Amino acid sequence: MQPRDFDNELTYLTHKQNGEEEAFHEAYDEAVESVREELGQSHGLQIEGEAVDTDSTFTVTSPGNQDLEIGEFAAGTEQDVDAAVRAAKEKFPDWEALDTSARVEIFQDAADIMRDRKYELAATVSLENGKNRTEAMADVDEAIDFLDFYSSEFERSNGYEFDTGEPTPGQHTKNLLRPYGVFGVISPFNFPMALVAGMTSGALVAGNTVVVKPASTTPLVAHKYVDILHQAGLPEGVLNLVMGGGSDVGQPLVEHEDVSGIAFTGSRKVGLNIQETFMELGKRGPVIAELGGKNPVIVSNTADIDKAVEGVKKGAFSFSGQKCSATSRVYVHEDVIDEFTDQLVSEAEELTIGRASERDTFVSPLIDDSALEYYQEITEEARSDGTIRTGGNVVSDGELSQGRFVEPTVVTDIPHEHKLAREEHFLPFVTIHPISDFDEGISKSNDSEYGLCAGLFSEDEEEIDQWFNEIESGMTYVNRNQSATTGALVQAQPFGGWKFSGTTGKFAGGYWYVQQFMREQSRTRVE
Ligand code: NAP
Ligand code: MG
């Protein structure tokens, strides 16, 4: 069967193609101004459609300017989680019983509201998590795509219900997928709009009710998303928002006896912990977890070096490497490694480091103090065990001193076995390793516990075929100068990991995602 037509949102690209880049920038700049005016407010939890205040709160500041307060947010407790889960449980039967088309319409309407408010939402993403304007808009675009794709695909598939006829006389049969009940959704900071929207809408479209806990650094975007769904007609209590720390709120959500399944995106450590908790408690529902990566790229001696440099630079340093898909280790044929590395170093030095909302910013700030400390730790280690070819320093010139800015870092002379070449960093830090033939590149790429994204630069058809067949990775990209490993589109480039990069083998934004939030039932009725 042919995949259906689906149009990705692609806001920036479309403006660029139509010669309307200035209009994009103007609309974004205006949105930043108006979002700044509304910052600094207090926000409660959202349980059964009501704002709930709590005894303690936490303050979020902008990573690029810590003097800018994003807001004050209610910090939930185990009791608040319990109230949210109870609300979700109570609403579940009615939500499951709602007509497929009525359910789908809510998500289509929410996607429309997000289209109308996309500049405001992108500006909010930039100010809250530090992502530059084109990346922030891509985050919002992806959220719209998730709502649109999951809901319309669910409708096109008739809610995953088949009439299987009368296999023997008098037995009338049906086969269908049904939701589990209440899902907990726990999201990371780095795609604060797309991942909150993607995971919650997967669960909700399927007919589950949800309690969502966003990353503590990005609650405002999650708040806006929940408001938009209510505005689009989502009944109160179907989606509830709790905020607060991972162990204060996330852990009780995972452990709650009425939470049937979890959708999680974040680090391997927390994700695997959630899976173990489920097993220990004897819970039978799914843990749909998207985890980290240590994404390898091979640059063959047949590669177009300009393309390879551009792809690695963008893959490693966009959003300061704070992407699960970030390029992190590059295996370069010894014939071309000097040329490749010199060019990468000089281009990395040209990248503009700055606040997210500045037009020219490529390298944006780090999310929190622990990321900054980790950067200092690994660059120190790289200095002693290898060679830092460029980068390795914190940047604090002028207004940048108010944020957490660091230089994009290119490192050589680190052995393939070294922990810097094996552990995920989530920072603008890439290691370059020589290989003497293509097979060595493939075996070193695969010698990792992760299997999220991988890239290849080669002009040789045989190498390309071999690589597609042998690389152990969920997403695979050949000769992609736009970015060697990052930037997947809903429907065409479903996103997920092999090995320790994911738990289900089914990918976000793909045709088999929503079914994971459901279980099968076969129905026989004799007449
Ligand atoms: P993280 O530290 O694992 O946090 C993710 C979420 O889990 C946050 O909401 C966090 O809350 C919560 N959490 C922390 N401890 C918890 C616990 N004990 N029980 C339940 N929840 C808990 O990840 P992050 O730093 O936000 O994001 C970076 C990681 O996400 C990287 O490893 C990256 O590879 C991964 N990621 C993967 C994908 C993918 O699709 N494969 C996409 C994006 C990111 P707090 O914020 O309150 O700590
Ligand atoms: Mg974290």
Coordinates of all heavy atoms in Angstrom, one line a residue, residues 237-305:
G237 N -10.2 16.9 32.6 CA -9.8 15.7 33.3 C -9.2 14.6 32.4 O -8.6 13.6 32.8
V238 N -9.4 14.8 31.0 CA -8.8 13.8 30.1 C -7.3 13.9 30.0 O -6.6 13.0 29.9 CB -9.5 13.9 28.7 CG1 -8.8 13.1 27.7 CG2 -11.0 13.5 28.8
L239 N -6.8 15.2 30.1 CA -5.4 15.5 30.1 C -5.1 16.4 31.3 O -5.7 17.5 31.5 CB -5.0 16.2 28.8 CG -3.5 16.7 28.8 CD1 -2.5 15.6 28.9 CD2 -3.3 17.5 27.5
N240 N -4.3 15.9 32.2 CA -3.9 16.6 33.5 C -2.4 16.9 33.5 O -1.7 16.0 33.0 CB -4.4 15.8 34.7 CG -5.8 15.4 34.6 OD1 -6.7 16.2 34.9 ND2 -6.1 14.2 34.1
L241 N -2.1 18.0 34.0 CA -0.7 18.4 34.1 C -0.2 18.5 35.5 O -0.7 19.2 36.3 CB -0.5 19.8 33.4 CG 0.8 20.5 33.5 CD1 1.9 19.8 32.6 CD2 0.7 22.0 33.0
V242 N 0.9 17.7 35.8 CA 1.5 17.9 37.1 C 3.0 18.3 36.8 O 3.6 18.0 35.9 CB 1.5 16.6 37.9 CG1 0.1 16.3 38.4 CG2 2.1 15.4 37.2
M243 N 3.5 19.2 37.7 CA 4.9 19.7 37.5 C 5.6 19.4 38.8 O 5.0 19.3 39.9 CB 4.8 21.2 37.2 CG 4.0 21.5 36.0 SD 3.9 23.3 35.7 CE 2.8 23.8 37.0
G244 N 6.9 19.5 38.7 CA 7.8 19.2 39.8 C 8.9 18.3 39.4 O 9.0 17.8 38.3
G245 N 9.8 18.0 40.4 CA 11.0 17.2 40.1 C 10.7 15.7 39.8 O 9.6 15.2 40.1
G246 N 11.7 15.1 39.1 CA 11.5 13.7 38.7 C 11.2 12.8 39.8 O 10.3 12.0 39.7
S247 N 11.9 12.9 40.9 CA 11.6 12.0 42.0 C 10.4 12.4 42.8 O 9.7 11.5 43.3 CB 12.8 11.8 42.9 OG 13.5 13.0 43.1
D248 N 10.0 13.7 42.8 CA 8.9 14.1 43.6 C 7.6 13.8 42.9 O 6.6 13.5 43.6 CB 8.9 15.6 43.8 CG 10.2 16.1 44.5 OD1 10.7 15.3 45.3 OD2 10.7 17.2 44.2
V249 N 7.6 13.9 41.6 CA 6.3 13.8 40.8 C 6.4 12.7 39.8 O 5.4 11.9 39.7 CB 6.0 15.2 40.1 CG1 4.9 15.0 39.1 CG2 5.7 16.2 41.2
G250 N 7.5 12.6 39.1 CA 7.7 11.5 38.1 C 7.6 10.1 38.7 O 6.8 9.3 38.2
Q251 N 8.4 9.9 39.7 CA 8.4 8.6 40.3 C 7.0 8.1 40.8 O 6.6 7.0 40.5 CB 9.5 8.6 41.4 CG 9.8 7.2 42.0 CD 10.6 6.3 41.0 OE1 11.3 6.8 40.1 NE2 10.5 5.0 41.1
P252 N 6.3 9.0 41.6 CA 5.0 8.6 42.1 C 4.0 8.3 40.9 O 3.1 7.4 41.0 CB 4.5 9.7 42.9 CG 5.7 10.5 43.3 CD 6.8 10.2 42.3
L253 N 4.2 9.0 39.8 CA 3.3 8.8 38.7 C 3.6 7.4 38.1 O 2.6 6.6 37.8 CB 3.6 9.9 37.6 CG 2.8 9.8 36.3 CD1 1.3 10.0 36.6 CD2 3.2 11.0 35.4
V254 N 4.8 7.0 38.0 CA 5.2 5.7 37.5 C 4.7 4.6 38.4 O 4.1 3.6 37.9 CB 6.7 5.6 37.4 CG1 7.2 4.2 37.0 CG2 7.3 6.5 36.3
E255 N 4.8 4.9 39.7 CA 4.4 3.8 40.7 C 2.9 3.7 40.9 O 2.4 2.8 41.5 CB 5.1 4.1 42.0 CG 6.6 3.8 41.9 CD 7.4 4.2 43.1 OE1 6.8 4.7 44.1 OE2 8.6 4.1 43.1
H256 N 2.1 4.7 40.5 CA 0.7 4.8 40.9 C 0.0 3.5 40.4 O 0.1 3.2 39.2 CB 0.1 6.0 40.4 CG -1.2 6.4 41.0 ND1 -2.4 5.6 40.9 CD2 -1.6 7.3 41.9 CE1 -3.4 6.1 41.6 NE2 -2.9 7.2 42.2
E257 N -0.8 2.9 41.2 CA -1.4 1.6 40.8 C -2.4 1.8 39.7 O -2.7 0.8 38.9 CB -2.1 0.9 42.0 CG -3.2 1.7 42.7 CD -3.9 1.0 43.8 OE1 -3.6 -0.2 44.0 OE2 -4.7 1.6 44.5
D258 N -3.0 3.0 39.5 CA -4.0 3.2 38.4 C -3.4 3.7 37.2 O -4.1 4.0 36.2 CB -5.1 4.1 38.9 CG -6.0 3.4 40.0 OD1 -6.2 2.2 39.9 OD2 -6.4 4.1 40.9
V259 N -2.1 3.8 37.1 CA -1.4 4.2 35.9 C -1.0 2.9 35.1 O -0.2 2.1 35.6 CB -0.1 5.1 36.1 CG1 0.7 5.2 34.9 CG2 -0.6 6.4 36.7
S260 N -1.7 2.7 34.0 CA -1.5 1.4 33.2 C -0.2 1.4 32.4 O 0.3 0.3 32.2 CB -2.7 1.2 32.3 OG -3.9 1.2 33.1
G261 N 0.2 2.6 31.8 CA 1.3 2.6 30.9 C 2.0 3.9 31.1 O 1.5 4.9 31.6
I262 N 3.3 3.9 30.6 CA 4.1 5.1 30.6 C 4.6 5.4 29.2 O 5.1 4.5 28.6 CB 5.3 5.0 31.6 CG1 4.8 4.9 33.1 CG2 6.3 6.2 31.4 CD1 4.3 6.2 33.7
A263 N 4.6 6.6 28.8 CA 5.3 7.1 27.6 C 6.4 8.0 28.2 O 6.1 9.0 28.8 CB 4.5 7.7 26.6
F264 N 7.6 7.7 27.9 CA 8.8 8.5 28.4 C 9.7 8.8 27.3 O 10.0 7.9 26.5 CB 9.5 7.6 29.5 CG 10.8 8.2 30.0 CD1 10.8 9.2 31.0 CD2 12.0 7.8 29.4 CE1 12.0 9.8 31.4 CE2 13.2 8.4 29.8 CZ 13.2 9.4 30.8
T265 N 10.2 10.0 27.3 CA 11.4 10.3 26.5 C 12.4 11.0 27.4 O 12.1 12.0 28.1 CB 11.0 11.2 25.3 OG1 10.0 10.6 24.6 CG2 12.2 11.4 24.3
G266 N 13.6 10.5 27.3 CA 14.7 11.1 28.2 C 15.9 10.2 28.2 O 16.1 9.5 27.3
S267 N 16.6 10.3 29.4 CA 17.9 9.6 29.4 C 17.7 8.1 29.6 O 16.6 7.7 30.2 CB 18.7 10.2 30.6 OG 18.0 10.0 31.8
R268 N 18.7 7.4 29.3 CA 18.6 6.0 29.4 C 18.5 5.5 30.8 O 17.7 4.6 31.2 CB 19.9 5.4 28.8 CG 20.2 4.0 29.1 CD 21.4 3.5 28.4 NE 22.0 2.4 29.1 CZ 23.1 1.8 28.7 NH1 23.7 2.2 27.6 NH2 23.5 0.7 29.3
K269 N 19.2 6.2 31.7 CA 19.1 5.9 33.1 C 17.7 5.9 33.7 O 17.2 5.0 34.3 CB 20.1 6.8 33.9 CG 20.2 6.5 35.3 CD 21.4 7.2 35.9 CE 21.3 7.2 37.4 NZ 20.9 8.5 38.0
V270 N 17.1 7.1 33.5 CA 15.7 7.3 34.0 C 14.7 6.3 33.3 O 13.9 5.7 34.0 CB 15.3 8.7 33.9 CG1 13.8 8.9 34.4 CG2 16.2 9.6 34.7
G271 N 14.9 6.2 32.0 CA 14.0 5.3 31.3 C 14.0 3.9 31.7 O 13.0 3.2 31.9
L272 N 15.2 3.4 31.8 CA 15.4 1.9 32.2 C 14.9 1.7 33.7 O 14.3 0.7 34.0 CB 16.8 1.5 32.0 CG 17.3 1.4 30.6 CD1 18.7 0.8 30.5 CD2 16.3 0.7 29.7
N273 N 15.1 2.8 34.5 CA 14.6 2.7 35.8 C 13.1 2.6 35.9 O 12.5 1.8 36.7 CB 15.0 4.0 36.5 CG 15.3 3.8 38.0 OD1 15.0 2.8 38.5 ND2 15.7 4.9 38.6
I274 N 12.4 3.3 35.0 CA 11.0 3.2 34.9 C 10.5 1.8 34.5 O 9.6 1.3 35.1 CB 10.4 4.3 33.9 CG1 10.6 5.7 34.5 CG2 9.0 4.0 33.6 CD1 10.3 6.8 33.5
Q275 N 11.2 1.3 33.6 CA 10.9 -0.1 33.1 C 11.1 -1.1 34.3 O 10.2 -1.9 34.5 CB 11.8 -0.5 32.0 CG 11.1 -1.3 30.9 CD 12.0 -1.6 29.7 OE1 13.3 -1.6 29.8 NE2 11.4 -1.9 28.6
E276 N 12.2 -0.9 35.0 CA 12.4 -1.9 36.1 C 11.3 -1.7 37.2 O 10.8 -2.7 37.8 CB 13.8 -1.6 36.8 CG 14.9 -2.4 36.0 CD 16.3 -1.8 36.3 OE1 16.5 -1.2 37.3 OE2 17.1 -1.9 35.4
T277 N 11.0 -0.4 37.5 CA 9.9 -0.2 38.5 C 8.6 -0.9 38.1 O 8.0 -1.5 38.9 CB 9.6 1.3 38.6 OG1 10.8 2.0 39.0 CG2 8.6 1.6 39.7
F278 N 8.3 -0.8 36.8 CA 7.1 -1.5 36.3 C 7.1 -3.0 36.5 O 6.2 -3.6 37.0 CB 6.9 -1.2 34.8 CG 5.8 -0.2 34.5 CD1 5.7 1.0 35.1 CD2 4.7 -0.6 33.6 CE1 4.7 1.9 34.9 CE2 3.7 0.3 33.4 CZ 3.6 1.5 34.0
M279 N 8.3 -3.6 36.3 CA 8.5 -5.0 36.5 C 8.4 -5.4 37.9 O 7.7 -6.3 38.3 CB 9.8 -5.4 35.9 CG 9.9 -5.1 34.4 SD 10.3 -6.5 33.4 CE 12.1 -6.5 33.4
E280 N 9.1 -4.6 38.8 CA 9.1 -4.9 40.2 C 7.7 -4.8 40.8 O 7.3 -5.6 41.7 CB 10.0 -3.9 41.0 CG 11.4 -4.3 40.9 CD 12.3 -3.1 41.3 OE1 11.8 -2.1 41.9 OE2 13.5 -3.2 40.9
L281 N 6.9 -3.9 40.3 CA 5.5 -3.7 40.8 C 4.5 -4.7 40.2 O 3.3 -4.7 40.5 CB 5.0 -2.3 40.7 CG 5.8 -1.2 41.4 CD1 5.3 0.2 41.1 CD2 5.7 -1.5 42.9
G282 N 5.0 -5.5 39.2 CA 4.1 -6.4 38.6 C 3.2 -5.7 37.6 O 2.1 -6.3 37.3
K283 N 3.5 -4.5 37.1 CA 2.6 -3.9 36.2 C 2.8 -4.5 34.8 O 3.9 -4.8 34.4 CB 2.9 -2.4 36.2 CG 2.6 -1.6 37.4 CD 2.7 -0.2 37.1 CE 2.2 0.7 38.2 NZ 1.6 1.9 37.7
R284 N 1.7 -4.6 34.1 CA 1.7 -5.3 32.8 C 1.6 -4.4 31.6 O 1.8 -4.8 30.5 CB 0.5 -6.3 32.8 CG 0.4 -7.2 34.0 CD 1.5 -8.3 34.0 NE 1.4 -9.1 32.9 CZ 2.4 -9.8 32.3 NH1 3.6 -9.7 32.9 NH2 2.3 -10.5 31.3
G285 N 1.3 -3.1 31.8 CA 1.2 -2.2 30.7 C 2.5 -1.8 30.1 O 3.6 -2.1 30.6
P286 N 2.4 -1.1 28.9 CA 3.7 -0.8 28.2 C 4.5 0.4 28.8 O 3.9 1.3 29.4 CB 3.2 -0.4 26.8 CG 1.8 0.0 27.0 CD 1.2 -0.7 28.2
V287 N 5.8 0.3 28.7 CA 6.6 1.4 28.9 C 7.2 1.8 27.6 O 8.1 1.1 27.1 CB 7.8 1.1 30.0 CG1 8.7 2.3 30.1 CG2 7.1 0.8 31.3
I288 N 6.7 2.8 27.0 CA 7.1 3.2 25.7 C 8.2 4.3 25.9 O 7.9 5.4 26.2 CB 5.9 3.8 24.9 CG1 4.8 2.8 24.8 CG2 6.4 4.3 23.5 CD1 3.5 3.4 24.4
A289 N 9.5 3.9 25.8 CA 10.6 4.8 26.2 C 11.5 5.0 25.0 O 12.0 4.1 24.3 CB 11.3 4.2 27.3
E290 N 11.7 6.3 24.7 CA 12.7 6.8 23.7 C 13.9 7.3 24.5 O 13.7 8.3 25.3 CB 12.1 7.9 22.8 CG 10.9 7.5 22.0 CD 11.2 6.4 21.0 OE1 12.4 6.2 20.6 OE2 10.3 5.8 20.5
L291 N 15.1 6.7 24.3 CA 16.2 7.1 25.2 C 17.3 7.8 24.4 O 17.1 8.4 23.4 CB 16.7 5.8 25.9 CG 15.5 5.0 26.6 CD1 16.0 3.7 27.1 CD2 14.9 5.9 27.7
G292 N 18.5 7.6 24.9 CA 19.6 8.4 24.4 C 20.3 7.9 23.1 O 19.8 6.9 22.5
G293 N 21.4 8.5 22.7 CA 22.1 8.1 21.6 C 23.6 8.4 21.7 O 24.0 9.2 22.6
K294 N 24.4 7.8 20.8 CA 25.8 8.2 20.7 C 26.1 8.0 19.2 O 26.8 7.1 18.7 CB 26.7 7.2 21.5 CG 28.1 7.6 21.6 CD 28.4 8.8 22.4 CE 29.9 9.3 22.3 NZ 30.1 10.6 22.9
N295 N 25.5 9.0 18.5 CA 25.3 8.8 17.0 C 26.5 8.9 16.2 O 27.2 10.0 16.2 CB 24.2 9.8 16.6 CG 23.0 9.7 17.6 OD1 22.4 8.7 17.7 ND2 22.8 10.8 18.3
P296 N 26.9 7.8 15.5 CA 28.1 7.8 14.7 C 27.9 8.2 13.2 O 26.8 8.1 12.7 CB 28.5 6.3 14.7 CG 27.1 5.6 14.7 CD 26.2 6.5 15.5
V297 N 29.0 8.8 12.7 CA 29.0 9.2 11.3 C 30.3 8.6 10.7 O 31.3 8.7 11.3 CB 28.9 10.7 11.1 CG1 29.2 11.1 9.6 CG2 27.6 11.2 11.6
I298 N 30.1 8.1 9.4 CA 31.3 7.6 8.7 C 31.6 8.6 7.6 O 30.6 9.0 6.8 CB 31.1 6.2 8.1 CG1 30.9 5.2 9.2 CG2 32.4 5.8 7.3 CD1 30.6 3.8 8.7
V299 N 32.8 9.0 7.4 CA 33.2 9.8 6.2 C 34.2 9.0 5.4 O 35.3 8.7 5.9 CB 33.9 11.2 6.6 CG1 34.2 12.0 5.4 CG2 32.9 12.0 7.5
S300 N 33.7 8.5 4.3 CA 34.5 7.6 3.5 C 35.5 8.4 2.7 O 35.4 9.6 2.5 CB 33.6 6.8 2.5 OG 34.1 6.6 1.3
N301 N 36.5 7.7 2.1 CA 37.5 8.4 1.3 C 36.9 8.8 -0.1 O 37.5 9.5 -0.9 CB 38.8 7.6 1.1 CG 38.5 6.2 0.6 OD1 37.4 5.7 0.4 ND2 39.6 5.4 0.3
T302 N 35.7 8.3 -0.4 CA 35.0 8.8 -1.6 C 34.0 10.0 -1.3 O 33.4 10.4 -2.2 CB 34.1 7.6 -2.2 OG1 33.0 7.4 -1.2 CG2 34.9 6.4 -2.4
A303 N 34.0 10.4 0.0 CA 33.0 11.4 0.3 C 33.2 12.8 -0.3 O 34.4 13.1 -0.6 CB 33.0 11.6 1.9
D304 N 32.2 13.5 -0.5 CA 32.3 14.9 -0.8 C 32.5 15.6 0.5 O 31.7 15.7 1.4 CB 30.9 15.4 -1.4 CG 30.9 16.9 -1.7 OD1 31.5 17.7 -0.9 OD2 30.2 17.3 -2.7
I305 N 33.8 16.1 0.7 CA 34.2 16.6 2.0 C 33.4 17.9 2.5 O 33.0 18.0 3.6 CB 35.7 16.9 2.1 CG1 36.5 15.6 1.8 CG2 36.1 17.6 3.4 CD1 36.3 14.5 2.9

